[in-house]
Amino acid sequence: TYSWSNGMSGSQITVSPTTSSTYTVTGTNSSNCSNTATISVTVNPLPNVSASANPSTICVGGSSILSATGANTYNWSNGMSGSQITVSPTTTTTYTITGTSTAGCTNTSTVIVNINTYINITATANPSDICVGESTVLTANGGSSYSWSNGMTGSAITIYPTSTTTYSVTGISGACTGTAAVSVTVNPLPTPGTASADTTT
């Protein structure tokens, strides 16, 4: 018979220690003679695995770099491996990384890559207040290409409005779009007055 120091009995037992532990077993034969033996189980800590995405929000068609730290080897839920991988999801996706330490212990972490369909477009006019016959430059930022409501394209356009007008611009970056508006105030020219001359000499 066998009696273990953790209160269990039998020639074979299963233990799940949380820290390194030493177990003593007392064996007794049919003559009621007994002896003891000890065995140590080393418990290695789990790796502190963490993951990040840069950037964490992308447009469809864009890519994000996933990075993991805290372990020796890494396996991702999409089948890729390595401490750093590049992904291009078409929908918001959660990736799980399993990290393995040199002792063979594993731990996991997750990271989310969000898919955005909207980008922040801004538009300005310089100057925003002109007189009839003068020009102003409209400038858009936040995208890679731009289309204006007057049919022109480009990040900066020069216009000659004849009346106060609001212009809208659509910016595109990959599969993401965004819009903005800017107003230009056009002031009329002053009405000429009448002139007279004193011809008396």
Side-chain angles (χ1 to χ4, degrees):
T1 61
Y2 302 90
S3 177
W4 296 84
S5 55
N6 64 352
M8 301 179 73
S9 60
S11 61
Q12 188 177 79
I13 64 173
T14 300
V15 294
S16 300
T18 56
T19 60
S20 296
S21 302
T22 298
Y23 298 88
T24 300
V25 59
T26 300
T28 304
N29 63 15
S30 58
S31 300
N32 207 32
C33 297
S34 63
N35 206 350
T36 61
T38 59
I39 185 171
S40 295
V41 177
T42 299
V43 178
N44 296 293
L46 297 178
N48 185 22
V49 179
S50 63
S52 62
N54 184 28
S56 59
T57 300
I58 63 173
C59 296
V60 173
S63 61
S64 177
I65 297 175
L66 306 186
S67 301
T69 59
N72 186 50
T73 60
Y74 305 91
N75 291 289
W76 298 85
S77 54
N78 63 350
M80 302 179 72
S81 61
S83 61
Q84 191 174 84
I85 64 172
T86 300
V87 295
S88 299
T90 56
T91 59
T92 296
T93 304
T94 299
Y95 296 88
T96 300
I97 175 67
T98 300
T100 304
S101 68
T102 53
C105 300
T106 62
N107 207 351
T108 62
S109 181
T110 59
V111 61
I112 299 175
V113 177
N114 297 290
I115 297 297
N116 194 9
T117 58
Y118 177 80
I119 52 177
N120 185 28
I121 301 296
T122 60
T124 58
N126 186 26
S128 60
D129 198 312
I130 62 173
C131 294
V132 172
E134 294 180 339
S135 65
T136 184
V137 177
L138 304 184
T139 303
N141 290 286
S144 56
S145 63
Y146 306 91
S147 177
W148 297 85
S149 55
N150 63 353
M152 300 180 71
T153 59
S155 60
I157 62 172
T158 301
I159 58 172
Y160 296 81
T162 57
S163 61
T164 297
T165 306
T166 298
Y167 298 87
S168 62
V169 59
T170 298
I172 300 174
S173 178
C176 293
T177 61
T179 60
V182 59
S183 294
V184 178
T185 300
V186 179
N187 299 293
L189 297 177
T191 302
T194 58
S196 62
D198 187 354
T199 57
T200 303
T201 59

